[in-house]
Amino acid sequence: LVVKRTAPEAAPYRQVLAAVDLAQEGERIVTRAARIASLHGAALTLLHVIDSFPVDRSNTLIAPEDQDPLDYQRADALHHLEALADQARVPQCGREVAVSARKASREIPLIAAEREVDLIVTGAHGPHGLGRLLGSTADGIVHRAPCDVLVVRLPTRT
Ligand code: AMP
């Protein structure tokens, strides 16, 4: 947990943001973020950044000819985020799902700042060798975050 708080130590989190890579263990991140948001009475935003195009998550994700591929991908991502939020039983009133397109490690801290998020929950596969604790996305988020970051350890990639 990287602590960058300026708020009083005991103040609960108000805005939690879960960074969800749909190709990976999004469920684990959302479950952890939902639990913390619930304990703190905070709102929860689930954010996915479409930073690679076309995606390799599923080769069924090919837009019909009459649809813009990015819009199609965005709608699909929103649908998946809603499903993850439902699965983690995040109440409708305290949640938001968001999809953005650009580079995840830059976009996530920017959106966190815009939304006055006070805790980002991200995953990290580890260990990464050569003394690196985190992968590039988690590393970028931790360095650029305007707030606290909770790094959820994910299974090491093989
Ligand atoms: P990585 O460093 O790529 O292994 O990713 C580590 C964590 O960063 C993931 O578990 C997610 O929490 C977050 N992340 C990576 N890519 C994205 C993305 N495209 N959109 C949102 N979050 C992401």
Side-chain angles (χ1 to χ4, degrees):
L1 177 64
V2 179
V3 179
K4 296 191 183 179
R5 307 194 81 184
T6 48
E9 294 304 319
Y13 292 115
R14 310 292 345 155
Q15 288 286 341
V16 176
L17 183 148
V20 185
D21 180 352
L22 294 173
Q24 298 175 23
E25 295 85 353
E27 202 182 318
R28 205 183 274 230
I29 311 285
V30 174
T31 304
R32 186 61 58 92
R35 180 89 180 113
I36 292 173
S38 159
L39 286 171
H40 284 250
L44 176 63
T45 299
L46 272 54
L47 171 66
H48 175 66
V49 181
I50 299 169
D51 62 357
S52 59
F53 191 79
V55 283
D56 54 9
R57 181 163 62 90
S58 151
N59 55 16
T60 58
L61 199 65
I62 295 168
E65 266 177 34
D66 59 342
Q67 284 190 38
D68 176 74
L70 188 56
D71 286 348
Y72 188 74
Q73 199 173 330
R74 211 185 276 271
D76 179 75
L78 285 171
H79 177 78
H80 274 83
L81 292 176
E82 289 286 3
L84 284 170
D86 286 343
Q87 212 175 321
R89 297 177 196 278
V90 184
Q92 288 283 351
C93 61
R95 84 190 200 197
E96 207 176 324
V97 295
V99 174
S100 166
R102 276 195 287 253
K103 191 170 167 53
S105 58
R106 291 183 180 277
E107 191 68 355
I108 292 162
L110 277 178
I111 291 178
E114 270 170 32
R115 293 179 176 230
E116 299 184 353
V117 162
D118 45 18
L119 179 69
I120 299 173
V121 181
T122 180
H125 295 269
H128 278 266
L130 296 175
R132 286 193 68 187
L133 186 62
L134 303 172
S136 62
T137 310
D139 194 61
I141 293 171
V142 166
H143 278 96
R144 297 187 183 96
C147 59
D148 294 1
V149 181
L150 174 64
V151 179
V152 177
R153 179 58 81 201
L154 300 173
T156 304
R157 280 181 183 141
T158 47

